[in-house]
Amino acid sequence: MSLLNIISKFVAVLAVVALASCGDGAYAQGDIAISGVWARPSVAKNGAAYLTLTNKGSGADALLSASSPVAGKVEIHDMEMDGTIMRMRKLDRLVLPAGETVAAVPGGTHIMLMGLNAPLVEGTAFQMRLTFEKAGEIEISVPVRQAPE
């Protein structure tokens, strides 16, 4: 491999790192922008993470999966009311329509962290990998804090 190829690959990696962490808890890759990332402190073996996904592209994308070393299993979930009962269901994908924003919020769509290795403690953060159909994988840092007001 020539020195020029090595330098080109290094520059490409730096560009991906720069895009993936735009500062202040915001991330971007391809047409997907991620902001408002947080998780609440946990009191049980399960927890939840929340974020806002914006598709700035002209075509739809989808969040296909999430993973994190802090949990045995991570799934995309949605909550909805069935009469007076709130039901949670696993989503196989979270569609992100072109030019739209989708928010994962308490009481609605969220990232479910099941089988936590340890409680999520306020003031800490953990890594999570999000896998999108078109944008690929994006690594994010999830701060643990109380719900924003």
Side-chain angles (χ1 to χ4, degrees):
M1 183 179 282
S2 74
L3 182 57
L4 184 57
N5 284 346
I6 292 170
I7 292 171
S8 294
K9 288 186 187 256
F10 180 72
V11 169
V13 168
L14 286 178
V16 167
V17 170
L19 281 175
S21 181
C22 299
D24 197 29
Y27 303 84
Q29 182 169 302
D31 291 329
I32 301 299
I34 303 167
S35 61
V37 179
W38 67 284
R40 67 179 64 213
S42 65
V43 293
K45 281 294 213 178
N46 296 330
Y50 310 98
L51 46 77
T52 300
L53 303 169
T54 301
N55 181 353
K56 297 180 178 185
S58 59
D61 202 340
L63 175 61
L64 302 177
S65 65
S67 62
S68 176
V70 302
K73 193 177 198 180
V74 181
E75 296 179 346
I76 306 162
H77 280 197
D78 190 35
M79 293 180 76
E80 59 186 30
M81 291 301 291
D82 181 10
T84 59
I85 300 170
M86 184 170 276
R87 299 201 187 273
M88 188 166 34
R89 65 184 170 105
K90 178 183 179 233
L91 300 177
D92 292 327
R93 62 193 293 121
L94 178 59
V95 176
L96 306 172
E100 292 192 25
T101 296
V102 176
V105 297
T109 303
H110 59 280
I111 308 295
M112 191 73 190
L113 305 157
M114 298 175 288
L116 291 170
N117 300 325
L120 301 178
V121 177
E122 186 171 2
T124 64
F126 61 91
Q127 294 302 115
M128 183 182 296
R129 175 175 290 149
L130 304 174
T131 303
F132 295 87
E133 186 172 59
K134 294 180 182 167
E137 293 183 347
I138 304 175
E139 283 281 336
I140 63 173
S141 179
V142 182
V144 180
R145 59 188 164 105
Q146 295 298 322
E149 295 183 21

